[in-house]
Amino acid sequence: MFRTFADMFKNKDIRNRIFFTLAMLFVFRFGSAITVPGVDVTELIKGMQDSSLFAMINMLGGGGLEQLSIFAMGVGPYITASIIIQLLSMDVIPALTELAKGGATGKKQIDRYTRYLAVVLSFFQASTLVYSFSTQYKTLLVNGSGWASILYVATLLTAGSMFILWIGDRISMKGIGNGVSMIIAAGIISRLPYQFTTAWQTLVDQSNSSATFNGILTFGLYIVSYLLIIVFVVFMQTAERKIPIQYTSSTVTTRKKDMTYLPLKINSASVIPVIFASAIMVAPLQICKMVWPAAGWVKTLETYMGMQTPVSLVIYVVLILLFTFFYTKLQVDPEKIAENLGKSGTYIPGIRPGTETKEYVNKVLCRITVLGAIGLAFIAVLPHALPLIPGINLPQSMGIGGTGIIIVVGVAMETVKQIEGRLTQKSYRGFLQR
């Protein structure tokens, strides 16, 4: 690892890409601290801690929402638009399905449609947020709560979101890693110092030496638990089931170490099921609380959808499990895998090509997805479950685990692979030049 780190800065191209990425991330973090003109966020910061939905958006945006900064929307609208377009391309809209199969030209056109949809979603989400905030916090808009002020702030937030998307494109082209993913990870990582500071202030009681010592031990246990969760996420992201495959043209018995494998990841759906489940659980409840704040049935609904009771957490886990299977089926198609194996002249030893291969891959995929879904649900529900355990006085904002760790670990692993790939490419190029 240390050798790879040293080689990164010896390579001029990679070194320039790293510095460019850091410069773009600095622009992103600088803009996240600039509050939209004509807004007073004093009451907003206090009320943000009570909303699970806004807390999640705030986390993905690197804390920009509680400041209502020009980058408060983050890349959330683009992610939502990407998911919608991807789902519609799965034989829902024939035109999009044809574009998805149209190679590089079709993907470029789909990306253009995604960005158009992202602009619309960003303006709609920004207008809804500003309107709800101005209704709940009367002093939010300095120039009054009229529609002119709301649309003005929403336009600035939409422009900021699109500018972040442009920064992400620059990082993808001239920097290291996927630009959008790097921005999301940078926003999450920027919240870690605040999270650990809050944990220290909450857990360490400095009233006397005995309480301070016990608090330090508890804080140390908190840090160790956090690291163990990261190790578990890394294991879950890298774990895969290798199905041996063999070429029909092979006339010699393949040695075990030379056997070719078809890798199936345990967690093919990544973090998408958690985002879907969180949106379904929290978004309707938040809208109902804004529209009917004093209604008694809203309190009852909060018991089942607020993610602060055992019943709501059970529903949350069930949704994550269902969405994990659903999205895995979208990402990995056993029928297409069987078809590709047949076209390439390969087969799974002991399994007939065609229908039997499809059924076998589907059976293996379902079995490993059970493990992936359980692991994903465990990580996602941990921050909400810990505060409910008697004797653990942890605020929900500093719970261990969650969506953030899965995203950061995934981005880090993807970035490291890209750097190693560029280093390998450089070494091969140098070998050929000799």
Side-chain angles (χ1 to χ4, degrees):
M1 184 183 71
F2 293 103
R3 183 177 179 180
T4 303
F5 185 78
D7 291 342
M8 286 190 315
F9 290 94
K10 290 180 182 178
N11 189 310
K12 182 179 178 181
D13 178 60
I14 296 179
R15 185 172 65 246
N16 292 338
R17 286 178 174 272
I18 291 175
F19 289 148
F20 181 83
T21 302
L22 293 176
M24 291 293 99
L25 293 179
F26 173 78
V27 173
F28 164 64
R29 293 306 307 153
F30 182 78
S32 298
I34 301 176
T35 304
V36 174
V39 169
D40 183 6
V41 295
T42 305
E43 293 185 2
L44 179 62
I45 295 177
K46 297 179 181 178
M48 187 69 66
Q49 301 175 353
D50 301 327
S51 172
S52 301
L53 175 63
F54 295 147
M56 181 179 178
I57 300 175
N58 186 53
M59 177 194 71
L60 295 177
L65 185 60
E66 66 180 4
Q67 296 287 342
L68 206 61
S69 70
I70 56 177
F71 293 162
M73 300 301 298
V75 292
Y78 176 75
I79 295 174
T80 306
S82 300
I83 295 173
I84 292 175
I85 293 295
Q86 185 178 10
L87 293 177
L88 293 178
S89 301
M90 302 292 180
D91 296 325
V92 177
I93 298 181
L96 291 178
T97 305
E98 290 297 324
L99 288 176
K101 298 177 181 178
T105 305
K107 290 182 179 179
K108 187 176 180 180
Q109 190 69 20
I110 286 182
D111 184 62
R112 183 179 302 171
Y113 291 152
T114 304
R115 292 169 189 272
Y116 292 156
L117 181 59
V119 175
V120 176
L121 290 177
S122 180
F123 186 78
F124 174 76
Q125 293 178 12
S127 303
T128 305
L129 282 176
V130 175
Y131 174 75
S132 60
F133 284 158
S134 63
T135 304
Q136 191 171 0
Y137 309 106
K138 301 299 182 182
T139 61
L140 178 70
L141 300 178
V142 177
N143 297 324
S145 301
W147 278 105
S149 300
I150 293 175
L151 295 179
Y152 166 73
V153 176
T155 302
L156 292 179
L157 293 177
T158 303
S161 180
M162 293 303 103
F163 183 73
I164 292 179
L165 187 57
W166 179 83
I167 291 177
D169 289 339
R170 297 302 99 188
I171 293 177
S172 298
M173 292 174 58
K174 301 181 179 180
I176 289 292
N178 180 279
V180 174
S181 301
M182 293 291 286
I183 288 175
I184 296 175
I188 296 172
I189 293 173
S190 67
R191 301 288 296 171
L192 290 181
Y194 170 79
Q195 181 175 341
F196 289 132
T197 303
T198 305
W200 173 269
Q201 295 173 351
T202 304
L203 299 175
V204 180
D205 183 6
Q206 301 182 7
S207 57
N208 56 73
S209 58
S210 177
T212 302
F213 180 74
N214 293 332
I216 292 176
L217 289 180
T218 306
F219 180 75
L221 181 61
Y222 175 82
I223 298 296
V224 172
S225 302
Y226 209 99
L227 294 177
L228 290 177
I229 291 297
I230 293 177
V231 173
F232 176 74
V233 171
V234 172
F235 172 77
M236 190 178 68
Q237 293 291 91
T238 56
E240 58 186 21
R241 169 73 157 83
K242 295 181 178 180
I243 301 177
I245 58 176
Q246 193 168 356
Y247 287 89
T248 54
S249 59
S250 177
T251 55
V252 233
T253 304
T254 309
R255 293 178 299 174
K256 187 174 182 181
K257 66 177 183 178
D258 297 330
M259 182 74 73
T260 305
Y261 293 96
L262 171 67
L264 294 178
K265 294 185 66 175
I266 288 181
N267 181 25
S268 301
S270 187
V271 77
I272 300 299
V274 179
I275 297 177
F276 278 1
S278 300
I280 289 179
M281 288 288 291
V282 182
L285 175 62
Q286 205 64 42
I287 293 174
C288 292
K289 290 172 70 174
M290 291 176 185
V291 180
W292 301 283
W297 61 270
V298 175
K299 296 293 183 182
T300 305
L301 187 64
E302 191 170 5
T303 304
Y304 296 97
M305 302 184 68
M307 292 201 293
Q308 295 180 353
T309 61
V311 176
S312 62
L313 291 184
V314 171
I315 297 175
Y316 184 46
V317 169
V318 171
L319 286 176
I320 292 176
L321 298 179
L322 293 177
F323 278 122
T324 301
F325 276 91
F326 171 73
Y327 201 75
T328 298
K329 291 295 184 180
L330 292 181
Q331 293 293 104
V332 184
D333 187 358
E335 184 175 357
K336 187 173 293 185
I337 291 177
E339 182 182 344
N340 291 336
L341 288 176
K343 289 181 179 179
S344 60
T346 56
Y347 66 96
I348 300 174
I351 306 297
R352 292 182 179 180
T355 305
E356 286 192 16
T357 299
K358 183 190 75 172
E359 293 175 352
Y360 177 78
V361 172
N362 184 61
K363 181 175 67 174
V364 172
L365 184 64
C366 289
R367 288 178 176 177
I368 64 176
T369 302
V370 171
L371 298 177
I374 293 174
L376 192 62
F378 171 75
I379 296 296
V381 84
L382 197 59
H384 306 282
L386 280 179
L388 301 180
I389 300 177
I392 300 182
N393 300 319
L394 283 178
Q396 190 170 348
S397 60
M398 51 176 281
I400 303 174
T403 311
I405 289 183
I406 302 175
I407 295 175
V408 171
V409 169
V411 173
M413 293 171 58
E414 179 186 351
T415 305
V416 169
K417 287 181 180 179
Q418 187 182 112
I419 291 176
E420 291 177 346
R422 290 186 178 277
L423 289 174
T424 305
Q425 182 182 13
K426 181 68 176 179
S427 63
Y428 279 130
R429 188 179 301 166
F431 174 77
L432 293 174
Q433 287 174 351
R434 292 176 187 173

